[in-house]
Each structure stands twice: as C-alpha cells, then as structure tokens.
Amino acid sequence: MADLLIEPGQFPARHLAVVLDATAVYRALQDVDGIAAASVVTPQQCTPPPRAPQGTAAMRGIDSQDASSFIVTVTARCATA
C-alpha cells in the first residue's frame, strides 16, 4: 500500500512528511476518523467504516512552526459478494 502514497515532497513546504509505521498508522486512523478506540457513536450510522492498520498506509506531515499536520491514508477495500 505504501507504494500508492503521494511523494513526501508533495506536502506543503513547511510540513516534514514521513511514512508511518503500523503503530503510528493505527493512531493516525483514529485522528482522521476523530473517534477514539472503543468509543460509541450516536447515531450508529455515523460510525466510520472499520479500517485495519495492516491494510492501510499513511503519511503524516507536521509543521514545526505551528504543529499543524496533514495525514494522507491509502486503504485497501475488498468487495464482498
């Protein structure tokens, strides 16, 4: 999946971008979804679809001046019959 990520140089100039390891991908997915692990979402239909860190690659760029960040994720999706 990491081969599908954009190049780090495509992030804004002030954002140092790095490809995340599996543990950091798990935390980044929580940041993107805005929901902590084991949280209950009401109404339930607003719960983001589950995404496994092992099927996801992510890159984060953090601005050292103001701590803003960008996260780019690529997640495999499988169709079920």
Side-chain angles (χ1 to χ4, degrees), residues 18-80:
V18 295
V19 176
L20 304 177
D21 64 24
T23 301
V25 168
Y26 179 77
R27 288 190 301 262
L29 289 174
Q30 290 178 353
D31 290 345
V32 169
D33 291 341
I35 300 169
S39 294
V40 176
V41 177
T42 304
Q44 186 177 8
Q45 64 265 28
C46 293
T47 303
R51 293 182 287 172
Q54 62 269 25
T56 301
M59 180 179 294
R60 177 182 293 229
I62 299 176
D63 184 332
S64 61
Q65 293 180 15
D66 63 11
S68 62
S69 68
F70 287 100
I71 300 171
V72 174
T73 64
V74 178
T75 303
R77 292 188 65 174
C78 298
T80 57

